[in-house]
Amino acid sequence: MNKQLFENKKSLINNIYLLLGDTTGKYLITILIISIFLLPILHIYIPEESFFHISSYTISLLGKYLCFALLALSLDLIWGYTGILSLGHGAFFGLGGYMMGMHLMREIGDRGVYGNSELPDFMVFLNWEELPWFWYGFDSFLFASLMVILVPGLLAFIFSALAFGSRVTGVYFSIITQALVFTLMLAFFQNDFGFGGNNGLTDFKDILGKDISSKETRGALYSCSAIMLILGYLICRIIISSKIGNILVGIRDRENRMRFLGYNTTVFKIIIFTISAILAGIAGALYVPQVGIINPGEFSPIKSIEIVVWVALGGRGFLYGAIIGAIVVNVLKSYLTIISPEIWIIFLGLIFILVTIYLPNGLTDLRRIIKRNYGRK
Amino acid sequence: MVENKNILEIDNVTVSFDGFKALNSLSLEIKKSQMVAIIGPNGAGKTTLQDVITGKTKIDNGKIYFKNNDLSQFSEHAIVELGIGRKFQRPTIIENISVWDNLCIALNTKKNFLSCLFNQLKNQDLNKLVEIISTINLKEKKNLIAKNLSHGEKQWLEIGMLLMQQSDLLLIDEPVAGMTEIETKKTSDLLLSIAKDRTIIVVEHDMNFIESLNVEIIVLHEGSVLTRGNMNSIKKNKQVIDVYLGR
Ligand SMILES: Nc1ncnc2c1ncn2[C@@H]1O[C@H](COP(=O)(O)OP(=O)(O)O)[C@@H](O)[C@H]1O
Ligand SMILES: [Mg+2]
C-alpha cells in the first residue's frame, strides 16, 4: 500500500509554519510582529514635527483596534467554527475591562478629588464607610490580572454549562446571551452595585507605577495588545488545526452525528465558549488603560451586536478574517462618527445587510471574486 | 455467570408519543456476530427502535440490555463507547471537512478535549484508516471535501466512519434508499464484507437488496415484532403479506 500518500508526520518547523495558517494569516502576523517594535519607537523617539511620528492619540487608537480584533477573534472561535452565535460577548469584554479598571482605581490612592486613600472617589461621594469585600485584593496587579481571566471565564463556564447542558441551541441561545449582557448593563448602571454606576471607572493615574498617559506607557500598552492578539491567534490556530477543529465543524454542521461518534459535544461547547470568553476578557482588560475609562455602556446590547458585524464583514471561520473585519469597521467608525454619529448606526446596519446578501464569507469573498475576474488562470 | 450469546436484548419496550405507541411492548433478541434485516411498513417503529437503542429517545417502559448493560443508565455518547454505532437514514457525514478527516474524527481513540487537542495519529491508527478507506472504495477521494461526494459515496463514508469506531453493533437505517443499481450492489458487498466479526442490524425497504444479503429477517408492525425468519418463510407468511408485502 502506498503509505507515503497517507503519511502525516511533519517536522517541528513545518508544524509551526502550518500553525500560522494560510498566506493572509502569515502576512497579518508578520505585520503585527513588526509593529510591536516599530510603532512604540516611532511614538517615543521620533520628534513630533517629523512625518514619521505617531501621536499618542494614534497609538492608543491603534491599540484599541487590536483589542477589538482580539475580541472579534474570540467570537469567531465560537461562532465561525462552532456555529454558536453569541450576541453577548460584550459581557466578557466588559467584565475583563472592569477587573482592570478596579485595579487602576486602587492605584490612584489618595490622588483622587477627595484625597481619600482608602476609598475610590465615587464611594466617598456615595458616603460609603468602607471598601466593599469584592474590591479586596484589587490593589495587586497580579490579583487583578487573575480576575481578568477568572471572572469572565467562570461566568462563561456556568452560563454555557446551564444553557448547553439543557440543550439550548441556535437562536434561543443567542437570545439568552443578549439577555445576559443586558442584565449586566442594568446591574452596572446601579450606583449601589459598587462599580461607579453610569460614570463607570475613570480618572486613572498610573499602571504598574508608571504614568498611564506617558509615551512609554502608551507604547508598551500597544505592544502588549499586539502580543496578546498574536498569542490569541496562535491559541485559536492550535485549537483549530488540531483534531478539535474538525470536531467543532462537526458540531456546527451536525451535532447529532458527533454525539453518535461518541463525542460529548456539550463539554466541547462549554470549553470553547469559556476559552472564547477568557480571550474577550483579556481584550477588555487591555482596552481600558488605553481608552482611560470603563462604563456600563460596554454592556449595551448594540455593542455586542457590533462585534458580530465585524466578524461577518471579515468573514467568519478564518480567524484572520475576524481581525481584519474588526479593524476595517472600527477605522470606518472612527471617521464616520466624526462626521455624524447618527450616520454610523445606519451604516453599520447597511454593512451587515450587504455582507449577508453579497459576501456570505465577508471580505474573503471579495478576494476570491477579484482573483476569479482578474487573476491568472 | 452464564455466557450470554445475545449481544442485544430488548425486553417489553414501550415508547409513546402523545399517547400513540410507536413501540408497543416490543421484545427482541439479537445474537452476537450475525447480520439481521428489519422490515416493516412506514410508521412501524423501525427508526424509533434505533432511537431507543442509541439513547436518543427515552423509553417509557421495559429494558434494553447491550452486552448485559442496562442502556437506560447510559447517555448517547456513553452508549457509543459501549460499542453501538449508528448509520442514519439520510447520509450524516460532516460535509465541510475532507473524507479523510471524517474518518479521523470517527477513530476510536479517547474523545475528550485534551486528547483531541494533542492528538497525533499512531501507526496502527494510520493502518486502520488506510484499510477502511480502501474497504469503502474512497481511497482516490481521500482529500475531497465530503459534500462533493455522490449520494452513494456519502453513505459508504458514513459506514466507514462506523467501522473506524470499531463498534460491536452497527445499526444501519435504509442504506440503499436513493442509490443506483450499481451502488446498491456495491453496498450489499460492502455490508457482507464487514459482517464477519460484528453484529449488524439493517433496516431496509428494498426487498431485492435484503434478498441479496441472505440474512434473517425481522418483521415489525405497529410497534412490535410480527415474526422473524428467513426470506422464504417470510414471503409465505400470511400476516406479513397482509400488512406489508401484499400492499
Ligand atoms: N418524535 C416523534 N413525535 C411524535 N411521533 C413520532 C415521533 N417519532 C416517531 N413518531 C411516530 O411513531 C411512529 C413510528 O415512526 P418510525 O419509527 O419513524 O417508523 P418507521 O421508521 O418504521 O417508518 C410513526 O407513526 C411516527 O409518526
Ligand atoms: Mg424510518
Side-chain angles (χ1 to χ4, degrees), chain A residues 236-256:
Chain A
C236 293
R237 284 293 315 173
I238 289 171
I239 294 173
I240 294 312
S241 55
S242 78
K243 199 171 169 181
I244 307 238
N246 288 328
I247 295 167
L248 297 184
V249 172
I251 291 175
R252 183 187 75 191
D253 292 352
R254 279 187 201 277
E255 187 168 359
N256 253 338

Side-chain angles (χ1 to χ4, degrees), chain A residues 80-98:
Chain A
Y81 286 90
T82 326
I84 296 163
L85 176 57
S86 166
L87 292 177
H89 250 46
F92 310 114
F93 181 80
L95 282 175
Y98 265 98

Side-chain angles (χ1 to χ4, degrees), chain B residues 15-18 20-23 39-51 57 89 173-174 203 205 220 223:
Chain B
V15 171
S16 356
F17 297 111
D18 307 321
F20 172 78
K21 287 181 176 165
L23 296 182
I39 63 172
N42 268 330
K46 304 183 296 289
T47 302
T48 308
L49 177 61
Q50 297 170 64
D51 286 346
T57 300
Q89 198 160 331
D173 201 359
E174 303 202 20
V203 171
H205 277 299
L220 232 55

Side-chain angles (χ1 to χ4, degrees), chain B residues 49-80:
Chain B
L49 177 61
Q50 297 170 64
D51 286 346
V52 296
I53 295 173
T54 52
K56 189 179 179 206
T57 300
K58 295 276 164 273
I59 52 184
D60 300 332
N61 240 322
K63 289 270 182 221
I64 302 179
Y65 295 96
F66 174 69
K67 297 196 281 193
N68 293 331
N69 296 296
D70 179 355
L71 289 188
S72 64
Q73 309 297 322
F74 294 83
S75 61
E76 280 156 287
H77 60 90
I79 290 177
V80 177

Side-chain angles (χ1 to χ4, degrees), chain A residues 64-329:
Chain A
K64 189 177 93 172
Y65 292 159
L66 296 193
C67 295
F68 288 153
L70 181 56
L71 176 58
L73 195 69
S74 77
L75 185 74
D76 196 25
L77 187 63
I78 190 76
W79 183 34
Y81 286 90
T82 326
I84 296 163
L85 176 57
S86 166
L87 292 177
H89 250 46
F92 310 114
F93 181 80
L95 282 175
Y98 265 98
M99 296 305 117
M100 181 53 74
M102 286 162 81
H103 170 68
L104 298 177
M105 288 304 275
R106 298 307 290 151
E107 269 206 47
I108 297 173
D110 60 5
R111 286 170 291 172
V113 179
Y114 298 104
N116 187 323
S117 61
E118 296 303 317
L119 294 182
D121 273 354
F122 75 89
M123 293 185 190
V124 181
F125 184 74
L126 291 172
N127 292 322
W128 288 11
E129 301 284 299
E130 55 186 47
L131 200 68
W133 62 269
F134 47 83
W135 277 75
Y136 292 170
F138 279 91
D139 296 31
S140 146
F141 180 81
L142 218 63
F143 178 84
S145 307
L146 203 65
M147 289 300 128
V148 163
I149 292 170
L150 275 185
V151 171
L154 214 60
L155 176 68
F157 179 80
I158 294 168
F159 177 82
S160 64
L162 288 174
F164 298 144
S166 43
R167 303 232 167 143
V168 176
T169 50
V171 73
Y172 300 101
F173 182 79
S174 304
I175 290 169
I176 61 169
T177 55
Q178 273 267 287
L180 171 75
V181 79
F182 190 64
T183 310
L184 283 175
M185 181 175 77
L186 295 182
F188 277 79
F189 261 127
Q190 302 295 316
N191 278 333
D192 316 339
F193 199 56
F195 298 93
N198 61 342
N199 295 322
L201 311 175
T202 187
D203 291 331
F204 310 132
K205 305 274 190 268
D206 290 347
I207 182 164
L208 288 171
K210 300 270 177 342
D211 179 1
I212 201 159
S213 52
S214 75
K215 284 188 168 182
E216 288 75 15
T217 310
R218 286 181 185 271
L221 282 170
Y222 174 86
S223 300
C224 287
S225 310
I227 291 169
M228 271 322 298
L229 179 59
I230 295 170
L231 280 181
Y233 179 79
L234 286 181
I235 290 170
C236 293
R237 284 293 315 173
I238 289 171
I239 294 173
I240 294 312
S241 55
S242 78
K243 199 171 169 181
I244 307 238
N246 288 328
I247 295 167
L248 297 184
V249 172
I251 291 175
R252 183 187 75 191
D253 292 352
R254 279 187 201 277
E255 187 168 359
N256 253 338
R257 174 29 92 212
M258 299 310 288
R259 285 213 188 91
F260 288 116
L261 282 176
Y263 291 98
N264 189 339
T265 56
T266 307
V267 170
F268 277 79
K269 289 195 288 185
I270 294 170
I271 295 175
I272 290 297
F273 193 77
T274 306
I275 293 174
S276 169
I278 290 173
L279 290 176
I282 293 172
L286 283 162
Y287 167 84
V288 168
Q290 299 188 77
V291 297
I293 184 169
I294 173 84
N295 63 30
E298 294 304 329
F299 294 123
S300 81
I302 185 77
K303 287 238 172 169
S304 289
I305 293 172
E306 270 188 46
I307 310 166
V308 174
V309 180
W310 307 341
V311 178
L313 179 81
R316 65 192 183 111
F318 298 96
L319 294 183
Y320 60 79
I323 297 178
I324 295 171
I327 294 174
V328 167
V329 176

Side-chain angles (χ1 to χ4, degrees), chain A residues 1-3 5-9 15 167 238-239 242-244 246-247 249-250 252-254 256-264 267-268 271-272 275, chain B residues 54 56 76-77 80 86-88 91-97 100-101 104-106 109 111-113 116-117 119 121 126-127 130 139 142 158 161 165:
Chain A
M1 217 159 277
N2 43 351
K3 261 278 194 56
L5 220 119
F6 298 99
E7 209 54 74
N8 75 333
K9 292 222 172 70
N15 270 334
R167 303 232 167 143
I238 289 171
I239 294 173
S242 78
K243 199 171 169 181
I244 307 238
N246 288 328
I247 295 167
V249 172
R252 183 187 75 191
D253 292 352
R254 279 187 201 277
N256 253 338
R257 174 29 92 212
M258 299 310 288
R259 285 213 188 91
F260 288 116
L261 282 176
Y263 291 98
N264 189 339
V267 170
F268 277 79
I271 295 175
I272 290 297
I275 293 174
Chain B
T54 52
K56 189 179 179 206
E76 280 156 287
H77 60 90
V80 177
R86 177 178 196 179
K87 155 100 197 61
F88 289 93
T92 46
I93 52 175
I94 309 306
E95 306 255 338
N96 285 312
I97 62 179
W100 181 258
D101 285 341
C104 282
I105 56 170
T109 47
K111 284 174 175 160
N112 62 51
F113 193 88
C116 292
L117 188 59
N119 175 266
L121 279 184
L126 210 56
N127 290 340
V130 173
K139 209 167 129 188
K142 158 181 181 281
E158 198 181 351
M161 289 164 80
Q165 278 179 269

